[in-house]
Amino acid sequence: PSTAACNKSGASGRVRSQMMSPLWLLLLAATSALRPPVNRPGTALNSATLPLPQQEPLRDATPATAVRDDGAVVLGGDTVLEPARSRRRGATKLADVETARETARNGGCFLSFSLRKAKSKVDVDLGLLPPGRILSIARNKRWWITPAFGEVPIESQAVLVEGEEDDDGLRTYSLVLPLLAGQDPARLQDGRHAFRCAVRGETENDRIRLIARVESGDPNVRAREFDGAAYVAATKATDAGCVHALLEKAVQAIAQRKGSFRPLSRKAPPQGMVQGLGWCTWDAFYSSVDQNKIEEGLRTLAEISSVRRLIVDDGWMRLDRDTDEDLNLSGEILKADEMVNPDIYDDSDVLAGAKRRFAETVGGMYAKHVER
């Protein structure tokens, strides 16, 4: 998107484009991908005072076990994960490993897995997502995540579903967040004791079956118990504006359970860091940054706010580079073998195809940039 802005609007468009933070982009994607608000009063968007028209939290009058004996995950009477009839080869059904059977609290519950034998990697069939529109946030590189619509790509870090409208004009919005898990929740801050969970979707009769993978990344690091491997939440509302509060409540519940971080609402901003504007030049100019472009960008930003901090970013350093001839868009020479993690692909043909697509798309884009 920032490259397109460069071509169309010059430095002014480039600067404004690169200033959007990843968190803002995710929230923007979440609300724009789902149904737009209807008849919402003009209230300023604030994490503490988000407008929630006709929102009805999924709460049972008498708290019930969220995971049923057949593996269905039910919140407030609505099934947010439905067990598939067939078994998925290589994956364990949720009903067989989810032994905690926790009570739903405030419209959400944790999923914890218990295995008969300690493993470093396990796939769990969470079941079918509800019919409706889907937004996923997936890792597409080692260091980047990106939204996906209507699908759940491999390495997804979050899944949001807008259900179909009921007779009362309400929709169920359900959220699945894979987490860090471990045998001892108190030791999650120690990376050696953490198992990472991610999800992926497989299409089955126009429905998406959700598969969770929990792994340590080291075949020698194994465990039988995975406490709080994922969090599932849901709420009912007339429009997608409720997802802000849904996400915020989910993060608060996870923070309280894990004890390894604090939600943003409980963090104090660093003194002096939020006064004035800070600008990193990378997304505006990449490795072609120079003095004239920086000065033009500063003049443009001055129309918005004074810039108090400036990072001149021309890419990562290479110690073996004498000229710019071998420098690509990211400042390093990337190879498919380095970018595609073979551990997340069970099939050699799929792995080969992923490497080939990487070389054809990403590598080709970088090569064209170098030629220009």
Side-chain angles (χ1 to χ4, degrees), residues 97 99 112-115 118 181-184 195 223-227:
V97 296
T99 57
S112 300
F113 309 142
S114 179
L115 309 179
Q183 192 155 345
D184 183 1
F195 284 71
R224 291 183 58 251
E225 305 290 335
F226 304 99
D227 180 79

Side-chain angles (χ1 to χ4, degrees), residues 33-347:
L34 301 177
R35 183 168 297 276
V38 292
N39 298 326
R40 176 180 295 180
T43 306
L45 286 180
N46 182 289
S47 60
T49 60
L50 284 171
L52 303 174
Q54 299 185 32
Q55 184 180 5
E56 296 183 6
L58 293 183
R59 279 188 207 172
D60 291 318
T62 56
T65 301
V67 182
R68 306 299 164 86
D69 291 339
D70 62 353
V73 179
V74 181
L75 297 173
D78 283 3
T79 301
V80 296
L81 286 172
E82 177 186 340
R85 295 182 179 180
S86 61
R87 283 188 172 271
R88 195 272 188 188
R89 184 178 179 182
T92 304
K93 276 189 168 290
L94 180 63
D96 298 334
V97 296
E98 216 299 324
T99 57
R101 299 294 195 268
E102 297 188 25
T103 299
R105 298 180 182 276
N106 295 326
C109 74
F110 288 89
L111 303 180
S112 300
F113 309 142
S114 179
L115 309 179
R116 296 179 180 177
K117 182 181 178 181
K119 295 183 178 181
S120 63
K121 178 174 62 177
V122 61
D123 285 350
V124 179
D125 183 355
L126 300 182
L128 302 174
L129 292 173
R133 295 196 289 181
I134 296 175
L135 167 67
S136 304
I137 306 297
R139 188 175 75 156
N140 64 330
K141 288 186 180 181
R142 288 176 182 172
W143 51 83
W144 290 127
I145 58 175
T146 186
F149 307 95
E151 60 176 340
V152 183
I154 195 169
E155 287 281 292
S156 285
Q157 311 296 304
V159 180
L160 181 66
V161 181
E162 179 192 61
E164 298 175 342
E165 189 173 86
D166 62 17
D167 295 338
D168 298 324
L170 297 174
R171 297 174 184 270
T172 297
Y173 293 85
S174 52
L175 174 70
V176 180
L177 294 175
L179 307 170
L180 290 180
Q183 192 155 345
D184 183 1
R187 304 177 72 182
L188 280 182
Q189 296 184 58
D190 183 350
R192 295 173 298 176
H193 300 276
F195 284 71
R196 175 177 172 272
C197 181
V199 296
R200 68 182 185 275
E202 299 179 355
T203 303
E204 182 175 309
N205 297 326
D206 297 329
R207 298 280 296 278
I208 292 183
R209 184 200 293 247
L210 203 62
I211 306 295
R213 168 162 291 187
V214 186
E215 59 185 339
S216 67
D218 184 344
N220 296 316
V221 178
R222 305 180 180 186
R224 291 183 58 251
E225 305 290 335
F226 304 99
D227 180 79
Y231 184 76
V232 183
T235 190
K236 276 189 174 180
T238 55
D239 65 69
C242 67
V243 300
H244 294 274
L246 180 64
L247 285 164
E248 188 168 324
K249 288 174 60 178
V251 170
Q252 291 175 352
I254 296 167
Q256 183 176 7
R257 172 69 166 259
K258 299 295 184 178
S260 57
F261 72 97
R262 289 183 299 164
L264 183 62
S265 59
R266 298 190 61 185
K267 292 181 179 179
Q271 293 296 325
M273 290 296 292
V274 294
Q275 299 174 358
L277 193 65
W279 177 37
C280 174
T281 64
W282 174 252
D283 280 341
F285 307 120
Y286 298 118
S287 55
S288 63
V289 62
D290 59 35
Q291 178 177 339
N292 293 332
K293 292 178 180 178
I294 292 176
E295 291 176 348
E296 181 184 359
L298 290 173
R299 284 193 295 270
T300 302
L301 290 170
E303 301 172 4
I304 305 172
S305 175
S306 60
V307 177
R308 298 188 59 179
R309 292 166 302 280
L310 174 67
I311 300 175
V312 179
D313 189 347
D314 62 349
W316 291 319
M317 180 183 293
R318 286 181 55 88
L319 301 180
D320 58 348
R321 179 173 62 83
D322 295 327
T323 68
D324 287 341
E325 294 178 357
D326 296 328
L327 184 66
N328 63 23
L329 185 61
S330 69
E332 69 169 357
I333 301 301
L334 301 177
K335 300 178 181 178
D337 288 337
E338 297 173 354
M339 290 299 300
V340 180
N341 181 4
D343 293 335
I344 64 178
Y345 295 96
D346 297 321
D347 189 287

